[in-house]
Amino acid sequence: MLFVLDTMVSAADTTQISASSFFGFMGVTMALVLANLGAGYGTFKAGAGIAAIGIWKPEIIMKSLIPVVMAGILGIYGMIVAVLLSQKVKNPLEYSYKSGFAHMASGLCCGCSCIAAGFAIGIVGDVGVRGNAQQERLFVGLILILIFAEALALYGLIVSLILSQS
Amino acid sequence: MNWGNPYDWTAVEWQSATWGERFMYIDPYFWSYFGVALALATSIIGASWGIFVTGVSLLGSTVKAPRIRSKNLISVIFCEAVAIYGVIMAIIMIGKVQTIESYPENQMAQCYTTALFGGYSLFWTGVSVGLSNLICGIAVGVTGSGCAIADAQTPETFVKILVVEIFGSALGLFGVIVGIIQCSGASFLKDCL
């Protein structure tokens, strides 16, 4: 099935068969699934570090949960974009190919940014909590790096929201 | 377009369509929006890769040398700049995509090829910007990692290795410059209404 420019028929023709919703729903799924993959990676990688240090320094476990919380936020970004897009994807009779591709790109932007940010948060969080257990002065540096990593997902969310308006 | 509007083609026409025709009727909007997604997604993957590579070395070395913590955050900021290049290019490229409302009957081929031109230019702009930023982020990250470890041992090396990082971040700038030139000609509405 090829993706013929649907404005080659007149704009008023609403009887055309098209596959535009395929790409719209692909955007919904990619946003959610990839963001959750990133959130999951961040959670388990940082969680392994917390489990390792919690054995011999249990009093800093609650402070060390920050990477896990920040990774969870990525899943929320994915859910926001997925819910937003799923309300815009309609029946192919009313949904142009252009909107379908724009929503596909929107989902891919959010999903890929969140998975990248999740990897960064997980790996930095793992090493950071292990180091923080040995050196208290590390905490501020860890938080700053985690904030920079979270900002990546935010950039993806912003471009996603701009694309979803197309 | 030997047989009229390809939307009306039946299986008979598609059976004898050439590969060129099949490729040509892939929607230009697919190419443009996929280029936007590639530009952003690969830039952010590069930035994130750089952040975690440099972050682990920074945090690991700070355990034994806490003085290096704040100075070496500049490597993380260089990686973040790569992500911002991706966002800037994505927003520029989204601005280039316009909706074609209708086709002038006698100028259909011209209008469609202008749209194809726009689509192809945006797709390859996305690839160039995205892949340049990907490698730039990794380069800055690995260099920053070495910088943190060296700084922890010998403080004089910090500024010298920072110069290497600046050379690395120039790669992302090359990507943005070429990207802006590459997508400058994309105009969906030039020959259409």
Side-chain angles (χ1 to χ4, degrees):
Chain A
M1 182 80 194
L2 291 176
F3 330 127
V4 177
L5 190 67
D6 70 334
T7 53
M8 292 189 103
V9 297
S10 77
D13 190 333
T14 52
T15 59
Q16 46 184 302
I17 306 171
S18 76
S20 45
S21 312
F22 175 84
F23 299 99
F25 283 123
M26 176 182 162
V28 174
T29 302
M30 287 294 144
L32 181 68
V33 169
L34 294 177
N36 274 343
L37 279 172
Y41 186 90
T43 305
F44 76 63
K45 199 81 162 81
I50 297 171
I53 55 136
I55 306 169
W56 52 276
K57 212 164 184 190
E59 59 272 9
I60 63 164
I61 290 182
M62 291 317 271
K63 246 175 38 159
S64 307
L65 281 178
I66 288 179
V68 175
V69 171
M70 295 185 89
I73 292 174
L74 302 179
I76 293 180
Y77 289 163
M79 197 170 74
I80 289 172
V81 172
V83 168
L84 187 72
L85 286 180
S86 66
Q87 290 174 344
K88 293 187 184 259
V89 177
K90 298 187 182 39
N91 190 323
L93 291 179
E94 306 144 13
Y95 188 64
S96 63
Y97 268 113
K98 176 175 184 277
S99 299
F101 296 135
H103 295 160
M104 172 193 78
S106 169
L108 280 174
C109 283
C110 176
C112 292
S113 314
C114 287
I115 197 175
F119 269 67
I121 289 175
I123 294 174
V124 169
D126 181 25
V127 173
V129 302
R130 287 175 202 263
N132 184 40
Q134 301 172 52
Q135 169 67 264
E136 277 303 319
R137 288 180 56 181
L138 213 128
F139 188 66
V140 173
L142 168 65
I143 295 298
L144 276 168
I145 297 177
L146 286 176
I147 287 172
F148 281 122
E150 184 86 22
L152 299 177
L154 201 65
Y155 297 153
L157 181 76
I158 290 170
V159 175
S160 235
L161 293 177
I162 294 175
L163 277 169
S164 71
Q165 307 296 323
S166 293
Chain B
M1 296 188 213
N2 326 346
W3 305 297
N5 188 338
Y7 183 74
D8 295 328
W9 288 2
T10 61
V12 173
E13 278 94 21
W14 280 118
Q15 214 171 29
S16 41
T18 61
W19 281 109
E21 275 162 350
R22 290 168 195 275
F23 185 79
M24 197 164 64
Y25 294 123
I26 295 178
D27 201 322
Y29 290 120
F30 171 77
W31 293 118
S32 0
Y33 283 121
F34 198 58
V36 171
L38 274 179
L40 186 78
T42 13
S43 304
I44 294 209
I45 288 173
S48 133
W49 202 323
I51 288 181
F52 77 65
V53 169
T54 214
V56 297
S57 298
L58 202 168
L59 293 172
S61 319
T62 305
V63 171
K64 290 294 184 191
R67 60 178 167 78
I68 70 161
R69 179 194 71 192
S70 307
K71 224 165 35 154
N72 281 277
L73 283 173
I74 199 167
S75 307
V76 177
I77 292 174
F78 272 127
C79 293
E80 192 81 8
V82 167
I84 292 178
Y85 296 157
V87 174
I88 290 172
M89 277 316 297
I91 292 180
I92 289 176
M93 286 158 74
I94 292 173
K96 297 251 169 217
V97 182
Q98 293 124 4
T99 318
I100 297 174
E101 297 294 343
S102 66
Y103 274 76
E105 274 305 320
N106 51 342
Q107 259 197 317
M108 194 184 271
Q110 206 159 346
C111 178
Y112 187 62
T113 37
T114 309
L116 272 184
F117 178 82
Y120 296 149
S121 77
L122 285 174
F123 175 73
W124 288 108
T125 302
V127 173
S128 18
V129 168
L131 289 180
S132 313
N133 286 340
L134 175 72
I135 194 57
C136 171
I138 297 173
V140 172
V142 175
T143 311
S145 146
C147 183
I149 295 175
D151 188 18
Q153 182 146 0
T154 315
E156 296 86 54
T157 49
F158 176 70
V159 180
K160 302 188 168 100
I161 304 194
L162 207 64
V163 173
V164 181
E165 272 190 66
I166 291 171
F167 275 105
S169 74
L171 303 175
L173 270 169
F174 297 159
V176 172
I177 290 170
V178 171
I180 290 179
I181 296 172
Q182 209 172 351
C183 70
S184 62
S187 163
F188 281 76
L189 291 179
K190 198 158 63 116
D191 290 317
C192 311
L193 301 164

